[in-house]
Each structure stands twice: as structure tokens, then as C-alpha cells.
Amino acid sequence: MAIDKYLRERFFPHMWCAGCGHGTVLNALVRAIETMGMSRNEIVMVSGIGCSSRITGYVDVHTLHTLHGRALAFATGVKLSKPELNVIVPMGDGDALAIGGNHFIHAARRNIAITALVMNNRIYGMTGGQYSPLSGCEVLAATAPYTTIDPSFDVVALSVAAGATFVARCTTYHVKEMIDILRQAILHEGFSVVEILSPCPTYFGRSNKLGDAAEMLRGFKEDTVPVGSAAKQKNPELIERGIFVQKEKPEYCAAYEKIMQKARSAAGETI
Amino acid sequence: MLKSFCIKREWCKGCGICVAFCPTEVLALDAQGKATAVRLEACIACEQCALRCPDLAITMQIAERED
């Protein structure tokens, strides 16, 4: 199979639970990269901490497994020093938006050409099922035995407001759609955010009686609609998926290069 | 048209996603709880199983149809 070359097969079978959506994200991500015919040498994947962040261990590209919530900070350093590389940052919902919330909004504000993936399983899986900033109200979690009272972030609205120039949402049920969105996100010249609804059958599913992995995927099929769909007008509870924003704005590394040139010429004039 | 189909048993964790969504009921979980092709002749090569497999255990090769 053509995607084999992007995998570190010696680490398989992977450590994720049976039915964990993060495996499907890995599957779609390597397929997206394969369709673009990218060399392994021109891709850097940077992750933080959590179930989702283990993804960098399984891909045979340049990888960095860094601090909780700080993946985007490390990735910013990588991208600024080597702007020609494609930098992809897969994060979990807690990693990206609780621990790393500040890094997330500021990376978006700068519009640095990094692809940020938010693998949203609505729970902290690795540490035993505590609720996250994307769990939402009225869900059961290890830290919310009487259900949560915290509303969740809308990742799309947050990213748009913070300045991201490519913002999309997809699910692990709609894999072909995910592959297409990931490809466009990676090719985008600016900060791109892709929220991927990914099931955690072990903690979120079990605590909230959502059934097995297949049942949770059926939920994604039933609860989501393509962006701009008329069904959303009738039922505001439905979650839209697709590309919400795709626009051009000055990119951070390009702006930095310009300012460096200005500084160099100013220094040259004074010498 | 399906050219080859392979399930890496040692990678499969038996989540049943491939079984649940196969449109022609090609797949089933065996006695060890691993996915297996029980009626491969019915496969329409839609690739949904290989694309969704969270264990990356399914590989298939599809040949162009010669009409």
C-alpha cells in the first residue's frame, strides 16, 4: 500500500483503544499526504500531550513530541526557522484549547502557515476521562458525576475570531471529506484549523451511554450536516461540517522575512 | 474492481466499524474478535472499510474496470 512509507510500522499495532477515532484521523492524514505526493522530508509533525498527540509516533516524517499544550509554540519555532517545510500540529481538544488555549489563539492571530488539527473526542482520555473544554453541558465524565455545567467552545467561531484563514470541521465518519479537507488545509498559505469529531468509545462513549464505536459514528452521521444546509435552519442543534473560512491574508513567515530584509538594508546603510 | 484484500490480524482490535458500515455485508468478526472477510465475492470495492479502519489494518488494491 502506498501509505506504508509514511508509517513507522514497527510501532503497530498502535496504543489507541479499539474504535478510537484518532486511528481514523491517522489513516486519513497519511492518505491526504500520499495523494499530494509529498516527500517525508518536507513534512514536520509536532504534537503535545494526550492520546491524540501519540499520533506523531506513528508517522515516518520529521516529528516532535513536545509539552502539553505547547505544540503550536514549538511548531512556530520550526516554521519560522524553516518556512519551506510543511508543519502539521495534531492536538486533542484539551491540549489545544485548555492547556494550549493561549498558544492556539495567538498562532491563529499571527496567521502563521501551520496546519492545526483539533482531534475532538470531548474528553481527556489518557488520564481517565475528565471533562474538557469541548465536552459541553450536561455530559457525564470522571470529574462530573452529576453532569457538566461548562458550555463548550465553538472551535470554528473561536478560530475565525482569532484570525485563522482556513477553518473547517469534519468527522471520522466522513473520511473522504476529511481527506479532502486535510489536503486543502495543508496546502493553505496561512494558519489552518481543522476540527475533527473523533469518538472516544472507552470514556466519553461509555460514560454517556452512546454505544460502541460504530454507534458513535452513526451519531456523527445523524448529528452533522454540510455547511449552509437548509436542515440546519430547521434544527439548530445540528453541527455543520465543511470549510467555513478560506481566505488570503499576509502570512507570518513572509512578513517576518520582509522585516528582516528591511532591517538588513537599514544596517547596511549605517555601516 | 477488487484486485486484492488483506486484513492485518495483529493490527486489528476488533472495534467492528468495518463490519457495521460495509454496504454488502462482506465482513464479520471471527471467534477471536478480529475482522475477517466472509463473503469477499460481494465486495464492491467502495473502500469504506479501509478508509475508516482506526487500526489501519485493512489494505485493498483496486483495479480499473475494463468495460
Side-chain angles (χ1 to χ4, degrees):
Chain A
M1 186 170 55
I3 64 167
D4 288 357
K5 66 174 176 180
Y6 297 105
L7 297 175
R8 291 176 183 149
E9 293 197 327
R10 63 189 183 281
F11 297 131
F12 282 75
H14 58 56
M15 51 68 72
W16 292 309
C17 302
C20 173
H22 294 354
T24 309
V25 176
L26 169 63
N27 193 338
L29 184 59
V30 289
R31 284 173 198 272
I33 291 169
E34 194 265 334
T35 59
M36 289 186 284
M38 278 182 165
S39 144
R40 293 179 302 146
N41 217 23
E42 56 184 338
I43 304 166
V44 186
M45 274 174 66
V46 186
S47 68
I49 296 296
C51 293
S52 59
S53 299
R54 295 292 293 265
I55 197 169
T56 50
Y58 302 116
V59 283
D60 203 9
V61 298
H62 297 294
T63 58
L64 282 169
H65 194 172
T66 70
L67 305 178
H68 204 3
R70 275 69 187 155
L72 281 169
F74 284 85
T76 298
V78 170
K79 185 70 187 176
L80 270 176
S81 61
K82 296 263 180 202
E84 68 276 16
L85 297 175
N86 292 289
V87 182
I88 304 169
V89 183
M91 299 171 284
D93 40 313
D95 191 46
L97 295 161
I99 303 93
N102 253 309
H103 294 296
F104 185 84
I105 55 174
H106 291 283
R109 179 173 61 85
R110 292 180 182 128
N111 193 36
I112 186 163
I114 288 173
T115 308
L117 312 181
V118 181
M119 297 154 75
N120 177 10
N121 59 7
R122 304 178 67 188
I123 205 86
Y124 289 94
M126 186 168 275
T127 47
Q130 294 81 5
Y131 67 87
S132 85
L134 296 187
S135 294
C137 288
E138 294 174 33
V139 303
L140 287 158
T143 44
Y146 300 101
T147 73
T148 50
I149 56 167
D150 301 36
S152 60
F153 276 131
D154 177 335
V155 182
V156 168
L158 176 73
S159 308
V160 173
T165 47
F166 182 101
V167 182
R169 182 188 286 129
C170 53
T171 88
T172 58
Y173 175 81
H174 306 88
V175 184
K176 285 192 173 170
E177 210 173 276
M178 184 187 350
I179 294 171
D180 182 50
I181 285 176
L182 288 174
R183 208 174 54 226
Q184 294 193 59
I186 293 167
L187 292 174
H188 179 72
E189 273 304 309
F191 192 70
S192 48
V193 178
V194 183
E195 179 191 10
I196 307 161
L197 306 186
S198 171
C200 171
T202 302
Y203 287 110
F204 194 84
R206 196 181 287 161
S207 320
N208 291 286
K209 299 190 170 48
L210 297 176
D212 62 8
E215 204 52 45
M216 291 183 81
L217 287 190
R218 275 193 203 99
F220 290 162
K221 184 187 174 190
E222 288 156 13
D223 300 341
T224 67
V225 284
V227 61
S229 151
K232 171 80 177 169
Q233 309 292 330
K234 287 184 200 144
N235 180 6
E237 295 288 302
L238 291 169
I239 302 165
E240 287 183 298
R241 37 167 237 278
I243 299 169
F244 296 80
V245 167
Q246 190 169 20
K247 61 182 179 189
E248 279 185 36
K249 250 175 51 180
E251 195 273 329
Y252 195 66
C253 296
Y256 183 72
E257 182 52 34
K258 271 189 197 163
I259 210 79
M260 285 302 288
Q261 278 174 6
K262 199 172 167 184
R264 278 188 211 108
S265 59
E269 281 164 19
T270 54
I271 290 166
Chain B
M1 217 183 115
L2 188 66
K3 209 164 120 191
S4 73
F5 184 89
C6 168
I7 298 176
K8 286 182 187 150
R9 284 181 62 81
E10 62 278 19
W11 287 19
C12 172
K13 295 195 179 100
C15 67
I17 287 175
C18 57
V19 178
F21 294 108
C22 176
T24 52
E25 296 176 4
V26 168
L27 301 155
L29 295 184
D30 66 14
Q32 281 84 44
K34 305 274 185 179
T36 183
V38 288
R39 17 182 257 131
L40 200 55
E41 68 283 0
C43 176
I44 54 166
C46 68
E47 269 195 299
Q48 291 296 333
C49 57
L51 292 173
R52 284 208 190 94
C53 177
D55 297 323
L56 289 86
I58 304 175
T59 50
M60 51 202 296
Q61 280 186 308
I62 298 162
E64 291 293 313
R65 194 182 283 270
E66 288 170 30
D67 287 326

